[in-house]
Amino acid sequence: RAAPPLFPSGGGEPLSPALQSAALTATLLGLSPDLRYKSSADPEALKKPPLATLDLLGGADMDAARKATSLAQGILMTRGLVGSPANYLTPTAMAEAATAIAGMSKGGALTIQVLEKAECEALGMGSYLGVSQGAMEPPKFIHMTLSPPGGKVCKRVCLIGKGLTFDSGGYNIKAGAGSMIEKMKFDMGGAGAVLGAARVLADAPPAGVEVHFIVAACENMVSETAMRPGDILTASNGKTIEVVNTDAEGRLTLADALVYAETKTGGKVDAIVDVATLTGACIIALGPAYAGLWSDNDELSDKLLGSAKASGEPLWRMPLAPEYAEQIKSPISDLKNLGNGPQGGSITAALFLKEFVKETPWAHMDIAGPVWDDKQGGATGYGVKTLVDFVESHAA
């Protein structure tokens, strides 16, 4: 297929580069359906031929075209990861995908380290490993680092993505109507967004910004070795956690990832943003189109909201209500992994995460709603544009 987008002009002037880039990104995304799992027996009508050429008419800006192409590639990669069934996208396969992304970076600007189970044990990541212990697939803790051009670092930003390649719910198994267990391949949507952002930013690393991309990848499964309701886990910052529900697992993996981001990334961190398909409560509060934002820092929150608005990705700030913090206190350990009842569940989840960041400005994005849209074909790639714009806003 060939596509000839025509850019209209107003008053003899072509569209601005920003509008051209947005239009081209949308065009590329719209012409790139995910047909990886269609068999040769499917009717040809269902198998659209791949896009071969894209001819730009009407005074196209080539820098805008290059940016649009890079952004579309990152979003399509995210969609591909999020849309991959769990028997294809295992934690190991995710680590391999991240390694491939690093390998595509110009001049080796993006490097990767994958911590194996034994290395995570040595770092005391009992919260993360507690989630993974019931799965046959080994956990993979992914840490990618993007260095700025010239190597001069003015800002350090950490992006963390929840990386549950499948979430059965554990012993509190997802069951019954509305459990969405068949869609729990998308429980790594946060990781998908972070890896997609890494793919885009590696094409043109922002000046002066060192970016860390972190994913604690694993599965949450049921087996004789799985964590049980009532177990107590110890996170890498020494805090103990009573597991009152094994289906509140994402926050357990993020806990150790947050500690790692603040203490193991080579220097003072200026901002930590975690992205996760964390709670159904967020969908109830905001519906399927909006992601929720929680932060303990107004400046960081404003930057993220500005990036989301500029990117066209709906994001709404939610209260980090301190009066709800008592709900995550346990009588027998420091914390418990679930609040009291269904009310305010996305808020208590955010408050739990806040317990694992000491001083660094931190924000949490719950993308459980917009990560997936059946009407638009499944995985949306939500978050990539916002994260890219947010990191670029820190450029020197």
Side-chain angles (χ1 to χ4, degrees), residues 13-328:
E13 294 295 324
L15 289 179
S16 70
L19 286 176
Q20 287 191 29
S21 180
L24 276 172
T25 301
T27 299
L28 290 167
L29 295 176
L31 293 173
S32 304
D34 185 358
L35 302 172
R36 292 170 297 165
Y37 304 110
K38 294 285 188 181
S39 74
S40 58
D42 281 320
E44 285 302 312
L46 296 177
K47 303 175 94 174
K48 299 175 183 178
L51 181 66
T53 62
L54 185 69
D55 300 308
L56 308 180
L57 310 177
D61 183 290
M62 295 314 296
D63 285 338
R66 280 189 287 270
K67 183 173 183 178
T69 301
S70 176
L71 191 57
Q73 287 174 337
I75 295 170
L76 287 170
M77 192 202 73
T78 296
R79 288 181 176 181
L81 290 170
V82 178
S84 293
N87 60 325
Y88 284 80
L89 188 72
T90 62
T92 298
M94 186 184 288
E96 291 170 349
T99 301
I101 294 167
M104 290 187 284
S105 66
K106 297 175 182 177
L110 184 63
T111 59
I112 184 168
Q113 179 184 20
V114 179
L115 302 183
E116 302 295 342
K117 179 181 176 182
E119 295 167 288
C120 294
E121 287 174 338
L123 290 172
M125 294 184 179
S127 186
Y128 163 49
L129 294 176
V131 176
S132 72
Q133 71 188 37
M136 291 180 63
E137 290 287 340
K140 301 287 180 178
F141 192 95
I142 302 162
H143 176 200
M144 307 170 75
T145 304
L146 180 65
S147 299
K152 184 179 179 181
V153 177
C154 301
K155 295 282 186 180
R156 283 189 174 87
V157 176
C158 289
L159 305 179
I160 302 172
K162 175 185 170 183
L164 267 293
T165 58
F166 187 75
D167 176 24
S168 69
Y171 275 104
N172 292 106
I173 196 165
K174 295 178 185 290
S179 73
M180 295 198 299
I181 191 170
E182 76 283 358
K183 290 181 178 174
M184 282 302 106
K185 62 185 180 181
F186 74 45
D187 213 18
M188 43 61 63
V194 165
L195 293 180
R199 169 74 176 80
V200 178
L201 291 165
D203 281 345
V209 187
E210 182 179 279
V211 193
H212 297 267
F213 308 91
I214 297 170
V215 175
C218 66
E219 295 178 336
N220 182 24
M221 301 297 285
V222 182
S223 74
E224 70 275 13
T225 62
M227 67 176 177
R228 296 144 296 228
D231 282 0
I232 293 180
L233 308 177
T234 303
S236 49
N237 65 348
K239 289 189 177 182
T240 56
I241 306 160
E242 181 188 7
V243 180
V244 297
N245 190 306
T246 60
D247 196 23
E249 85 302 325
R251 66 202 70 182
L252 296 174
T253 67
L254 291 170
D256 281 326
L258 287 164
V259 174
Y260 182 95
E262 190 170 38
T263 63
K264 303 293 183 182
T265 49
K268 182 181 180 296
V269 180
D270 295 285
I272 297 173
V273 179
D274 75 74
V275 188
T277 50
L278 203 63
T279 67
C282 192
I283 304 175
I284 294 170
L286 297 176
Y290 277 77
L293 172 67
W294 288 260
S295 181
D296 61 356
N297 185 281
D298 289 340
E299 182 181 355
L300 173 56
S301 181
D302 289 345
K303 271 185 174 289
L304 282 164
L305 290 169
S307 291
K309 184 175 181 179
S311 302
E313 294 186 323
L315 180 66
W316 194 264
R317 190 173 185 184
M318 300 284 278
L320 196 63
E323 61 269 29
Y324 292 177
E326 281 300 313
Q327 292 190 36
I328 58 169

Side-chain angles (χ1 to χ4, degrees), residues 372-395:
W372 192 267
D373 187 338
D374 281 319
K375 292 180 180 178
Q376 295 185 19
T380 63
Y382 182 96
V384 175
K385 291 186 287 185
T386 295
L387 293 177
V388 169
D389 187 271
F390 169 72
V391 171
E392 290 177 343
S393 73
H394 289 80

